[in-house]
Structures are given as C-alpha cells and as structure tokens.
Amino acid sequence: MERTLILIKPDGMQRGLGGAILARLERRGLKIVGLKLLRMDEALARRHYAIHDGKPFFSGLVRYITSSPIIAAALEGRMAVEAARKTIGATDPAKAEAGTIRADFGMDIGRNLVHGSDSAENAEKEIALFFSPDEIVSYERATDPWITES
Ligand code: IDP
Ligand code: MG
C-alpha cells in the first residue's frame, strides 16, 4: 500500500483549517497512519525543500514553513500520492481546479495551505524526516474492504 506525506502549512493552521483540510483527504479514503503537530526548524525546512534550494522563492519558503506550527500526516491508500495531489490541486491556488483544497481555500502561490509528496519514493524519504518507524501505525479501518475487495 502506498503512503504520502501531507503537511498542513502555517497559513492553513493560522486560518484554523487544519481539521477541514485533513478531513477532505481522510474522507476521500486515505487512511491516517501517522499524525503530529510540530514546528519545523530551519534545518528540517531546508532538508524537506532541498530540491528548491537556489530558487528565488527558497528563502521565503523556509521562512513561511517555519513561521508557525504545522500538522504532519502520513496517509496510506491505493495510489495515495496521486490521489492526494489531485485532491490538493495545482501548486498555484489561483490556477487550481475548483473543488480542490488549494482552489477552495486560497489564491496565493506563496500561501498554498498544504504539502503533498510528488512520488512514492519521495514520500518515503519525507515521511522518514517527520516520523520515526514506531510512529507509523498500521491498522484496519472499517472502509478498507470497500477498497481492497475485487
Ligand atoms: P508543490 O507543493 O505543488 O509540490 P513545488 O513546485 O514542489 O510545488 O513547490 C514547493 C512549494 O514551494 C510550493 O507548495 C509553494 O509553497 C512554494 N512555491 C513554489 N513555487 C513558488 C513561487 O513561485 N513563489 C512562491 N512560492 C512558491
Ligand atoms: Mg513539490
């Protein structure tokens, strides 16, 4: 089963949207297997966004993501990475499809509310930045058979 890392970014938390954003992903069918509230420090922010180091928005991105506590969630499901990114919407909320989280809650590319991993491989690396193995909990959910029955 695939996993993805979701972050409710500082703007989502400051606007009181943490639960609402997580609820959209959870009710779609993604299962919460790891969950914590934390404030990212600069070192963690630089590691998490290392691929963007050197881009014009990088220092602002690090300041933004460390500016307030966030929720980190590891979500599990069939095609979890793609499913979560479809529900999250395009990077620029102004261009995101209506009905996605970023379109429904925002307009600013620098305040786009939520992070979702972009590949299964990166998801595992990102989950390891935020969770130790014993913080990832495996369990059955009542809706699982609807997904796995063939
Ligand atoms: P993603 O979050 O949709 O995967 P990425 O291209 O990986 O988008 O960018 C990571 C994050 O960096 C974005 O979610 C956004 O917070 C920020 N970002 C990306 N492009 C810009 C930009 O042009 N201006 C300001 N912030 C940006
Ligand atoms: Mg990305």
Side-chain angles (χ1 to χ4, degrees):
M1 200 54 90
E2 194 168 279
R3 295 187 301 194
T4 187
L5 180 80
I6 299 300
L7 303 177
I8 316 296
K9 295 179 176 180
D11 52 326
M13 300 302 290
Q14 290 294 324
R15 292 172 57 194
L17 295 171
I21 291 171
L22 204 52
R24 286 188 173 210
L25 295 158
E26 188 186 27
R27 86 181 166 204
R28 174 144 192 213
L30 291 158
K31 177 163 52 171
I32 299 169
V33 294
L35 188 64
K36 63 172 66 170
L37 179 74
L38 75 151
R39 184 158 180 172
M40 286 171 76
D41 62 17
E42 190 182 328
L44 178 57
R46 286 179 165 277
R47 283 182 77 188
H48 175 70
Y49 280 126
I51 193 161
H52 298 298
D53 198 349
K55 294 184 185 168
F57 59 83
F58 182 71
S59 61
L61 177 59
V62 170
R63 269 201 308 280
Y64 157 51
I65 205 72
T66 57
S67 66
S68 140
I70 60 160
I71 288 172
L75 303 185
E76 185 179 271
R78 195 173 75 81
M79 299 174 70
V81 167
E82 187 181 346
R85 281 181 73 93
K86 285 259 162 66
T87 292
I88 288 168
T91 304
D92 186 346
K95 295 181 190 159
E97 294 277 344
T100 62
I101 293 165
R102 283 169 170 167
D104 289 356
F105 293 129
M107 282 290 282
D108 184 347
I109 192 169
R111 295 289 181 271
N112 63 3
L113 297 140
V114 57
H115 167 82
S117 308
D118 64 4
S119 71
E121 192 188 343
N122 285 339
E124 290 305 317
K125 289 183 195 156
E126 291 176 0
I127 287 169
L129 287 179
F130 288 86
F131 296 93
S132 58
D134 65 303
E135 290 173 331
I136 301 297
V137 181
S138 166
Y139 62 101
E140 283 189 14
R141 201 170 70 165
T143 52
D144 286 350
W146 302 352
I147 298 164
T148 55
E149 242 169 30
S150 55

